[in-house]
C-alpha cells in the first residue's frame, strides 16, 4: 500500500481508501472529508512523524476532536505473528529499542474504531504494513482487534489500560503539540481557525473501560 494512501473520514467511521479509486458516493451524507496520511505527517514534521506514537496519536486525536469526532488516546500492545515468528510492541514486558523510553504504544479510538497512526514501525520486523491502519475493535474505547496483512503477517491489538506512563512525557504536554494540531486541523478543514481552545480539554481523561 502506498505510504500516502488516503483514508476516508466519515461520521463515526474511518476507512482506508485506495488511491486509484478516490471517487466518493455523493449519496453518503456522512462523508466529512478525505485526506492523505501525509497531512498528519506533514503537520508533525521531521523524523518523529509516524515514529513517535505518543506525539503522533495525540496530535491526531486532538485534531479529530476539534473537528467533532469523539477521539480518545488509549494505550495498547501490538503483537505480530507469521507462522512461528512473533514480535511485540507496547507491552511493559517487551524489550525497548531506546533506553528510558515509555514501555507502551498509543492508539486513537473513536467508539469501536481503532486508528493506529504509527503502525508503520512494524517495518523493522519485516512487516509490509501501511503507515496507518484502521480496524474495528471488539469493544468501544478498548483496543481488541486483529487484522491479516497480504504478506502473511497478522497484527493484533490488546488493551493496556493501566499503562498510562505516556501522560508524564513531554509529548503529552498540550503546549508542545498545539502547533502541530492546528496545522493538521487547517489541512483537514481549511476554513477552520488557525488556533482554538485549550487542547487539554480535547483528549479528556483516560477511558474507564478495563483491559
Amino acid at each position: 500500500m502506498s505510504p500516502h494512501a488516503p483514508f476516508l473520514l466519515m461520521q463515526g467511521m474511518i476507512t482506508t481508501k485506495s488511491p486509484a479509486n478516490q471517487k466518493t458516493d455523493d449519496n453518503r451524507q456522512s462523508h466529512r472529508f478525505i485526506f492523505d496520511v501525509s497531512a498528519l505527517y506533514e503537520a508533525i514534521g521531521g523524523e518523529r512523524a509516524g515514529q513517535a506514537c505518543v506525539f503522533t496519536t495525540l496530535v491526531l486525536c486532538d485534531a479529530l476532536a476539534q473537528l467533532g469526532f469523539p477521539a480518545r488516546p488509549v494505550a495498547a500492545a501490538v503483537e505480530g505473528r507469521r507462522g512461528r515468528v512473533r514480535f511485540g510492541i507496547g507491552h511493559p514486558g517487551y524489550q525497548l529499542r531506546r533506553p528510558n523510553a515509555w514501555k507502551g504504544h498509543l492508539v486513537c479510538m473513536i467508539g469501536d474504531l481503532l486508528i493506529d497512526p504509527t503502525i508503520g514501525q512494524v517495518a523493522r520486523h519485516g512487516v509490509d504494513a501501511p503507515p496507518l491502519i484502521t480496524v474495528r475493535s471488539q469493544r468501544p474505547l478498548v483496543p481488541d482487534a486483529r487484522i491479516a496483512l497480504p504478506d502473511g503477517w497478522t497484527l493484533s491489538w490488546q488493551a493496556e489500560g493501566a499503562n498510562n506512563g505516556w501522560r508524564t512525557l513531554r509529548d503529552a504536554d498540550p503546549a508542545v503539540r498545539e502547533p502541530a494540531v492546528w496545522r493538521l486541523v487547517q489541512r483537514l478543514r481549511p476554513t477552520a481557525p488557525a488556533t482554538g481552545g485549550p487542547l487539554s480539554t480535547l483528549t479528556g481523561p483516560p477511558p474507564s473501560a478495563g483491559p
Side-chain angles (χ1 to χ4, degrees), residues 66 177-187 189-197 199:
Q66 184 66 19
R177 65 181 186 272
E178 182 175 5
V181 171
W182 294 115
R183 283 195 297 269
L184 179 57
V185 168
Q186 284 198 298
R187 284 290 303 273
R189 185 168 294 169
T191 58
T195 59
L199 299 183

Side-chain angles (χ1 to χ4, degrees), residues 4-211:
H4 300 309
F7 63 90
L8 179 63
L9 181 57
M10 297 182 281
Q11 181 67 41
M13 180 179 182
I14 296 179
T15 58
T16 57
K17 192 170 185 65
S18 168
N21 182 23
Q22 295 183 14
K23 183 178 180 180
T24 61
D25 180 355
D26 294 336
N27 295 323
R28 299 284 297 276
Q29 296 300 318
S30 58
H31 290 191
R32 290 295 186 89
F33 41 73
I34 295 176
F35 77 97
D36 199 296
V37 172
S38 63
L40 172 61
Y41 292 170
E42 289 172 5
I44 294 172
E47 296 180 355
R48 307 178 73 194
Q51 297 296 319
C53 70
V54 173
F55 190 79
T56 303
T57 297
L58 290 179
V59 168
L60 177 61
C61 284
D62 281 332
L64 293 180
Q66 184 66 19
L67 295 172
F69 292 87
R72 293 289 182 269
V74 184
V78 181
E79 183 179 76
R81 286 178 176 266
R82 185 167 65 177
R84 296 183 179 181
V85 181
R86 59 186 292 187
F87 67 85
I89 297 174
H91 190 281
Y94 295 151
Q95 184 177 1
L96 291 176
R97 297 178 67 238
R98 293 177 297 152
N100 303 320
W102 172 56
K103 294 183 178 181
H105 184 63
L106 204 63
V107 299
C108 176
M109 298 288 300
I110 302 178
D112 65 349
L113 186 70
L114 185 154
I115 312 169
D116 192 331
T118 60
I119 193 61
Q121 298 178 73
V122 298
R124 64 177 180 258
H125 296 284
V127 182
D128 183 16
L132 179 149
I133 281 181
T134 63
V135 61
R136 290 289 178 184
S137 179
Q138 298 297 313
R139 295 178 287 172
L141 295 179
V142 179
D144 184 5
R146 178 175 298 184
I147 189 171
L149 300 177
D151 63 352
W153 284 97
T154 296
L155 300 178
S156 60
W157 290 259
Q158 294 296 325
E160 289 288 341
N163 189 14
N164 284 314
W166 62 269
R167 293 182 176 275
T168 66
L169 302 178
R170 182 176 182 273
D171 283 351
D173 182 348
V176 172
R177 65 181 186 272
E178 182 175 5
V181 171
W182 294 115
R183 283 195 297 269
L184 179 57
V185 168
Q186 284 198 298
R187 284 290 303 273
L188 302 183
R189 185 168 294 169
T191 58
T195 59
L199 299 183
S200 58
T201 64
L202 298 182
T203 51
S208 59

